[in-house]
Amino acid sequence: MRYISTRAQSTAVSGAEAILQGLAPDGGLYVPEVMPVLPEDFVKRFAPLDYAERAAFVLSLFLPEFDGLDALCRDAYRRFDGHPAPLARAGEMSVLELWHGPTCAFKDMALQVLPGLMKKAKTLTGETRDIYILTATSGDTGKAALEGFRDAPGFRVLVFYPEEGVSEIQKLQMVTQEGENVCVCAVRGDFDDAQNGVKQVFAKNLSNDRFLLSSANSINLGRLLPQVAYYVSAYVDWTAQKPSAPSPAVVVPTGNFGNILAALYAKRMGVPFGRLVCASNRNHVLTDVIQTGVYDRKRPMVRTDSPSMDILVSSNFERALHLLGADVAECMDSLSKDGKYTLGADVSAGLQTEFDAFWRSDMEGRACIHKVYEETGYLLDPHTAVAVSGVCGNPLYRDAIIVATAHPGKFPEAVGAALGGRAPEDVIDVPQALTDAKTKPRRFSRAVAPDGILDFVLEWIM
């Protein structure tokens, strides 16, 4: 299996090389040269398997040269609370819960696997240098990366987060992170400032004979592939729970487009999903481009109750454009120069064939949290509430899998407001990992302006 750049200006590489590099040399993202296909009887094959076995099978289709994937996945998911990705019920809704990992967010599903994939990739490529992981986060990736690589020999991790753009619990999870190989720095700006600064660092080609600079953001192929597995697994569980139901739509709250892109990959591999539904908050560049064919980031960033979706430059969207035949390099060049691009008619029609899209306000999300809890006893986090509020009661999505991306305890301010002042821990059990973050000593307090990111990285790598 070979991987090519979305921007078509770099040579094809192996899966191991793609995972170690993160970004392609031309600035693009690695994608499969040919999409692998699931066996026709995958539902029957997967039904008796546990989640780790299902994930290892899916990964083996993308990374056939990687041996030991069963053991790798079993080790990665042992830190989860029960089933890593259960298909739960909330009234009449089917909810794919992806927050049972050690940091209580869906990023754990991939970032507990990524260190093992990187270690294996080093062996396959003969890479002997240490791996320095540089990551920007809109809230959840940072903590999941820090926890996944904590004290892993041969790895160091540096995370940048928007100083005022994450919830208080998300911030505490990062600045109290344990481990001798980790570092955290706030950015006086929004997530796009942090992400753009990190991309500029990668463009400097800082890797040398001592270390290789890589990423744990969803630009890394090793982040995307484990996410495909939970969609395949979810469909198997759906057929067991609803054997006579139609193929489900999949409703995903997303800002960087990686989570819903993984659903598209699963569909292209043979999972018979219905519509893929992109749910956005007030920073709704994705809703706009799907509905109009115009991607326009020239708008102010709005801080919302769902901070992990407060993104105006959605990195993974170019992987979808590549699948649909767009000239990605041209689109990204226009985005960089003009802050926008317009898709051709064929690509825009292809998007609308695959995706529905909508956005919801904070007030609509809070009302949804309140309504669902009062009617079912199920508590949504603000991101999942965006998804539910857009499809609940709509007959088009009567048969749907709604993706729950984080535990509600990560967002006590927004959830408390939705519940009339009751905190999440007043109505449900909150994981120990979240309560511990409030009492652990703060280890990291540095903050830089966006133009100070490079200098901070240079200081870190010395």
Side-chain angles (χ1 to χ4, degrees), residues 212-229:
L212 174 66
L213 196 64
S214 189
S215 176
N217 279 102
S218 56
I219 58 176
N220 193 309
L221 182 72
R223 273 282 307 277
L224 174 63
L225 301 185
Q227 292 180 260
V228 178

Side-chain angles (χ1 to χ4, degrees), residues 1 3 32 35-36 58-64 225 228 265 269:
M1 174 71 74
Y3 290 86
M35 187 67 69
V58 173
L59 287 174
S60 72
L61 300 179
F62 287 99
L63 303 169
L225 301 185
V228 178
Y265 271 40
M269 294 174 71

Side-chain angles (χ1 to χ4, degrees), residues 312-325:
L312 295 178
V313 179
S314 300
S315 293
N316 274 285
F317 192 65
E318 66 177 89
R319 281 186 166 122
L321 294 181
H322 178 270
L323 269 182
L324 296 169

Side-chain angles (χ1 to χ4, degrees), residues 175-194:
V175 301
T176 62
Q177 175 64 47
E178 298 169 337
E180 296 303 312
N181 64 335
V182 302
C183 185
V184 177
C185 182
V187 176
R188 300 187 191 100
D190 57 36
F191 170 72
D192 285 343
D193 292 322

Side-chain angles (χ1 to χ4, degrees), residues 166-310:
V166 298
S167 78
E168 184 63 19
I169 291 293
Q170 287 176 312
K171 182 184 296 187
L172 288 173
Q173 283 188 300
M174 288 185 280
V175 301
T176 62
Q177 175 64 47
E178 298 169 337
E180 296 303 312
N181 64 335
V182 302
C183 185
V184 177
C185 182
V187 176
R188 300 187 191 100
D190 57 36
F191 170 72
D192 285 343
D193 292 322
Q195 181 170 247
N196 186 56
V198 166
K199 287 182 177 179
Q200 290 177 4
V201 172
F202 277 105
K204 298 291 184 181
N205 296 315
L206 297 177
S207 299
N208 57 30
D209 58 2
R210 182 167 57 92
F211 67 87
L212 174 66
L213 196 64
S214 189
S215 176
N217 279 102
S218 56
I219 58 176
N220 193 309
L221 182 72
R223 273 282 307 277
L224 174 63
L225 301 185
Q227 292 180 260
V228 178
Y230 56 68
Y231 286 109
V232 180
S233 178
Y235 181 77
V236 174
D237 291 341
W238 168 273
T239 61
Q241 293 180 13
K242 298 187 174 185
S244 60
S247 292
V250 182
V251 188
V252 188
T254 185
N256 223 9
F257 209 76
N259 203 351
I260 198 167
L261 178 78
L264 178 61
Y265 271 40
K267 190 173 181 179
R268 290 295 179 95
M269 294 174 71
V271 179
F273 286 137
R275 304 292 290 169
L276 304 180
V277 187
C278 177
S280 300
N281 62 19
R282 288 180 62 198
N283 298 296
H284 45 81
V285 289
L286 291 172
T287 299
D288 292 350
V289 69
I290 291 169
Q291 292 181 347
T292 70
V294 178
Y295 194 112
D296 188 353
R297 65 149 301 179
K298 295 186 299 180
R299 63 186 78 186
M301 175 79 75
V302 181
R303 288 182 59 193
T304 73
D305 285 350
S306 46
S308 296
M309 296 158 63
D310 290 347

Side-chain angles (χ1 to χ4, degrees), residues 90-112:
E92 296 301 312
M93 296 185 296
S94 294
V95 181
L96 178 60
E97 294 181 341
L98 300 178
W99 42 258
H100 290 274
T103 77
C104 308
F106 82 97
K107 307 298 177 71
D108 290 324
M109 298 298 298
L111 281 165
Q112 288 296 309

Side-chain angles (χ1 to χ4, degrees), residues 9 12 34 48 54 75-76 114 117 120 148 214 229 231 248 270 339 362 365 383 432:
Q9 296 169 10
V34 178
R54 295 175 180 181
D75 183 62
L114 183 59
L117 292 179
K120 180 63 66 175
S214 189
Y231 286 109
D362 285 351
H383 303 74
Q432 190 70 33

